[in-house]
Amino acid sequence: MKSVLICLLALCCGRALADEQMLTLSTRPGVTQRLLLLEPPGQPLASLILFTGGEGTLKLSDGGQLRAGAGNFLVRTRQRGAGQGFQVAVVDAPSDHPDNISRNDFRSSAEHAADMAVVIDELRRRADVPVWLVGTSRGTTSAAAIGIRLQTRVAGLVLTSTINHDRGNVAAMDLSQLTLPVLLVQHRHDQCKESLPANVQPVLDGLLKARPRALLEFDGGQDRGDPCQAWAAHGYNGIEDEVISQVAAWIKQHQP
């Protein structure tokens, strides 16, 4: 019944849902990586790998149901990304870190990058188009760290509500290695202490060789609950369409 209601809502809104399936990939020895894959009708313009924030877990069931993270900004807008013509992969935590990939600096590790290299290979097998890494909140730590390690294999980065303080601080990474296009996205009224607008400049300053680099700032929407959670300004609550459409336009403009 739930899937029927979702389909009816999509039709009423004039937007058909992209096909969605769960994949389980073998990555490192003894390790598997699950992800949700959305494929748009026709040839994708690019592929996006989405990294959720917080603990980085979706806890995907064997049937592909989300048991965590459904409200996260990137997770809840994944159909909008597919609607823009992108192949979209929303990655779960790997099997050897099922509860938290933000612990013990796994997001910045070579193992995390190795898992994503396999995901990139699978996406390119399905569609030979550029692959972009897109992270939100603590997912920006993943996207930036993997982008540095796998720079020759990705087309660019999009970092939304970038972690710019304390643990996982993107500004503390060796961003000068990046020569890819990098887009930062920020809500002007984000009150999360880990991603305050006042601390975005050091991230921009670190992107010395990123070409192009840009900052998109947004206002409006609703700011509810914990300032570091999905329904606050931190998660672009109420302005999802505006944010996704502008991000998609930027990606399309800067395709290799």
Side-chain angles (χ1 to χ4, degrees):
M1 178 62 72
K2 183 178 179 181
S3 62
V4 172
L5 290 174
I6 291 174
C7 289
L8 287 174
L9 178 61
L11 290 172
C12 289
C13 295
R15 183 170 58 222
L17 292 176
D19 291 335
E20 182 172 291
Q21 60 181 302
M22 187 187 74
L23 302 182
T24 302
L25 306 177
S26 295
T27 53
R28 292 167 282 127
V31 176
T32 58
Q33 173 72 59
R34 284 183 169 180
L35 59 96
L36 288 178
L37 179 69
L38 291 80
E39 297 180 297
Q43 176 72 4
L45 301 172
S47 294
L48 311 181
I49 301 178
L50 308 185
F51 298 92
T52 186
E55 296 173 346
T57 62
L58 306 178
K59 299 188 184 299
L60 289 169
S61 71
D62 291 342
Q65 286 78 38
L66 289 161
R67 294 180 293 188
N72 177 266
F73 167 60
L74 291 180
V75 180
R76 73 175 187 265
T77 60
R78 63 192 185 278
Q79 285 285 350
R80 288 176 171 89
Q84 290 283 345
F86 300 125
Q87 178 174 244
V88 178
V90 193
V91 293
D92 201 352
S95 61
D96 62 339
H97 288 77
D99 298 320
N100 192 338
I101 68 168
S102 294
R103 185 187 299 126
N104 298 326
D105 206 29
F106 180 78
R107 286 190 183 272
S108 299
S109 69
E111 290 80 8
H112 193 26
D115 293 340
M116 292 307 107
V118 175
V119 174
I120 290 169
D121 287 345
E122 177 63 19
L123 294 179
R124 285 192 170 148
R125 185 185 70 79
R126 291 169 175 267
D128 188 17
V129 294
V131 178
W132 291 69
L133 307 181
V134 185
T136 195
S137 193
R138 293 216 174 273
T140 60
T141 303
S142 288
I146 293 166
I148 291 170
R149 289 183 182 272
L150 302 181
Q151 181 162 199
T152 61
R153 307 186 63 182
V154 299
L157 308 180
V158 178
L159 309 177
T160 79
S161 304
T162 305
I163 296 297
N164 53 41
H165 173 74
D166 201 19
R167 182 168 55 94
N169 185 355
V170 173
M173 296 180 183
D174 190 2
L175 299 178
S176 64
Q177 293 187 45
L178 289 170
T179 59
L180 305 168
V182 179
L183 174 65
L184 302 182
V185 178
Q186 183 71 43
H187 198 296
R188 289 189 177 96
H189 305 293
D190 187 347
Q191 299 179 63
C192 179
K193 66 179 182 179
E194 307 296 338
S195 58
L196 291 172
N199 295 331
V200 171
Q201 192 60 46
V203 182
L204 276 171
D205 292 343
L207 295 165
L208 301 174
K209 300 176 185 175
R211 293 292 183 273
R213 59 177 179 171
L215 171 64
L216 281 179
E217 295 181 291
F218 292 90
D219 286 301
Q222 301 176 39
D223 190 15
R224 303 203 322 254
D226 187 322
C228 292
Q229 295 300 317
W231 304 111
H234 182 75
Y236 309 95
N237 182 17
I239 57 171
E240 293 89 348
D241 283 336
E242 179 184 359
V243 176
I244 295 301
S245 63
Q246 290 197 40
V247 168
W250 197 88
I251 291 174
K252 291 171 186 177
Q253 181 182 357
H254 298 101
Q255 284 275 66

